[in-house]
Every structure is written in C-alpha cells, then in structure tokens.
Amino acid sequence: MSQVLQQLQREQTTSRRRPRLMERFADFLPITTATPPLGLGEGFTPLVHARTLGRAMGVPLLYLKVEGQSPTGSFKDRGMVVAVAKAIEEGTQAIICASTGNTSASAAAYGAAAGIEVVVILPRGKIAAGKLLQAQAAGARVVAVDGNFDDALRVVRELTERPADDRHVTLVNSVNPHRIEGQKTAAFEVCEDLGGAPDYLAIPVGNAGNITAYWRGFSEYRRVGLVETTPRMLGFQAEGAAPLVLGHDVDDPQTVATAIRIGRPASGALALQARDESGGLIDSVSDGEILAAYRDLARHEGIFCEPASAASVAGVRKAAAAGRIDPGATIVAVLTGVGLKDPDTGASLAAPPLDAEPTVEAVRSVLGW
Ligand code: F0G
C-alpha cells in the first residue's frame, strides 16, 4: 500500500466518527435507552453565505441553510429519523403518511432502514418525478388518490385513528410530535454556525411543521442560555395556498411550488404563534417570484434547490424590497430540498446542449472561441 493511502487510512481510523443526529442532540430530544440507534447521516447541513445574491437583494448578510444535503435530499430526514425510531421503540409494524413527495421519500428510506412496512398516500399526478421514484425505489407501497394533499392527509389520519384491525400503524406526518422535535435541530445548527441566533429566519411554509420546529429550536436554545436572542420568523406560502389564517381548498395543480401548496396547514395555529411571539410575518410569494429565486440561487450561488425551497429567498427579496427587513441584519433562509428531485421544473432553466463533432475545432466553433 502506498504511503499516502496508509496515511489516509490512519486518519480515517483516528479521526472522530461523525455522531448521529439523535446522539448529538439527545439532551433536547425524546430519546431513551430503548430508542434504536437509527441514522442515515441526517443533520449537519451547511450554512452558506449567499454573498452575490444577498448583496443584489440589499441584504449582504444573507445565509442559506442547505437542507437539500440531507440523506434523502430534504429537511424531512431530521424529524423522520426520530419519528421512525420512536415508532420502532413503541412496537409499530408499519408507518404511513400523506405527502407532496418529500415526506414520503424520507419515510420510505427510514422505514426501509428500520425494516418496517411503509405506505404513502399521494395526490395523483402532483408529485415531482424524483420524489415519487425515491419512495418506489425504497420499496414503499404507494397509493395515488384523486385529490390534493389535504384530502390525502384526511385519509391517513382516519386510517390511523380508526384502525380496521389490531395492526400497529404510526402516522409520520408532521402532526406526529416526534417529527417536530427532530426538525428543531436545524435551528440548533444555525445557532452553532453563526455563534448565536440570526436576526431573521426565512422559511417556506406548507403544513407549517418546519416553521414551528425552528421556532421551538431557537426558543429552547434561548431558554437554556445557549443563545441570547431569537430571530423574527418570516414564513412564506405559495400564492394560492395563502393566506394561512383563513385556510381554504387548493385545486390548481399547475404550479412550480406544488410541494408547499397546502390549503389547510396542519400546524397553522402554531405557525401564527411563531410569527406573533417572534415579531415576524407570514406572506405569500408568486410562482414567478419563486422561479426567479430558484434560478438565481443556481446561477449566482451554485445551489440548485427544489422550487418550493426558493420560496424563502423569494420572500426575503420581497420583504427587503418593501423595506420590511433591516439591511444590516443577519438573515438565514432555509432551502428545504434539493433541485434534482424535480427535473421537470429544472428543465425550465436548461439551455439545450450545443451539438459538435468530437474535435477541438468543432467544439471551438460551437463555443465561438
Ligand atoms: N419545502 C419543501 C421542499 C417541502 O416539501 C415542504 C413540505 C415544505 C417546504 C414545507 O414544510 O410542511 O413543514 O411547512 N412538504 C410536505 C411533504 C408537505 O409532504 O413532503 P412544512
């Protein structure tokens, strides 16, 4: 073996193993000695300074929490690992969820790792191709219903509340309290990376589980004295799903932000509480605003997130332009999922490849060099 390889091998055995998320934040999570050590490498996602975009938007201290770098490519993994581990601890045989795609991809992966049955109920025809594939690849049973997310959630709630037999089935949507507990760890990581809480936390809002989780995380770190302040929470819904306060049926599937197009957010009341306690705001952003942020993140920051994720940055741009954000403030925008999940929307950004013969001259010629 070469010396270099030997050195690398030594480094690998002596460097500390990356801790599991549940282990690292055990003091803040509902973990017991009976909780199985589940983990696919969730958490520890990067906080990236969006120098170019932040400056262009008039908020130079804009940071991005890149949750797309999670095992299944979305923030759901933080909460799912806790929900599935607790379900196993409680003796469950199957997990079930309704989803616009990311929850189902995450449930399918953690269910596969835990060796239990996974059933996902999806609104037919409204799931991004990559997300559907993730659930199928992991072997989940996928049921497509003619309806929207709200219909699918109603069905899974009834299925778990009124079981037909003595099967032990656990609901792993964000109404499962363990999901929120796991997801709050993202707020902990933000505080650790910045050395304190940011002034603002901007986040896409669908069912409002994630905004609830971040607010809980920041509040807990302040309560125990690890940070002195908490951020103003800025939640952004997709236009058509908003306003959060009213709740109404959503029927138009033709939108770039299907993942967060939810008429009646399950944790809507908690999101409003987060807004009010933090002195923040909840607003809507249009498809056009979301797509512009989605493209700019890829082109100027090198971060290809999924369209719904870009609602956070679209919202910051809108709020900054309206003078609702202090330009000197530290802002963290959460990018909830990775762009590869949705190749069809991604295609709208893509210029067709240039065709050339495999020669230097031909390639030079099509490049105009
Ligand atoms: N961003 C993405 C990419 C999402 O998939 C979701 C929710 C959200 C943001 C909103 O988070 O619901 O906690 O407010 N997706 C759910 C799903 C509904 O089924 O995957 P929330």
Side-chain angles (χ1 to χ4, degrees), residues 355-369:
D355 286 322
E357 295 297 319
T359 64
V360 172
E361 294 72 28
V363 172
R364 265 201 195 118
S365 157
V366 294
L367 291 174
W369 280 7

Side-chain angles (χ1 to χ4, degrees), residues 74-76 98-104 131 149 173-174 183 204-211 259-260 262 306 308-309 336-337:
S74 90
F75 71 99
K76 308 281 183 181
S99 182
T100 56
N102 280 329
T103 300
S104 53
K131 300 179 186 182
F149 172 83
N173 277 102
S174 59
Q183 281 172 213
V205 172
N207 256 314
N210 212 23
I211 189 171
I260 56 166
I262 288 164
E306 67 167 289
S309 293
T336 44

Side-chain angles (χ1 to χ4, degrees), residues 107-123:
Y110 284 88
I116 52 170
E117 186 182 354
V118 180
V119 174
V120 304
I121 314 273
L122 308 175

Side-chain angles (χ1 to χ4, degrees), residues 211-233:
I211 189 171
T212 301
Y214 271 85
W215 180 238
R216 188 174 301 169
F218 289 122
S219 302
E220 285 186 13
Y221 256 26
R222 185 177 57 179
R223 194 175 321 126
V224 299
L226 287 174
V227 295
E228 285 164 15
T229 61
T230 49
R232 292 178 191 272
M233 303 296 287

Side-chain angles (χ1 to χ4, degrees), residues 20 22-23 26-27 29-38 85-86 88-90:
R20 279 181 300 105
M22 285 197 292
E23 210 169 54
D27 290 351
L29 294 173
I31 306 299
T32 71
T33 48
T35 312
L38 198 60
K86 293 303 283 184
I88 301 288
E89 183 180 338
E90 288 151 17

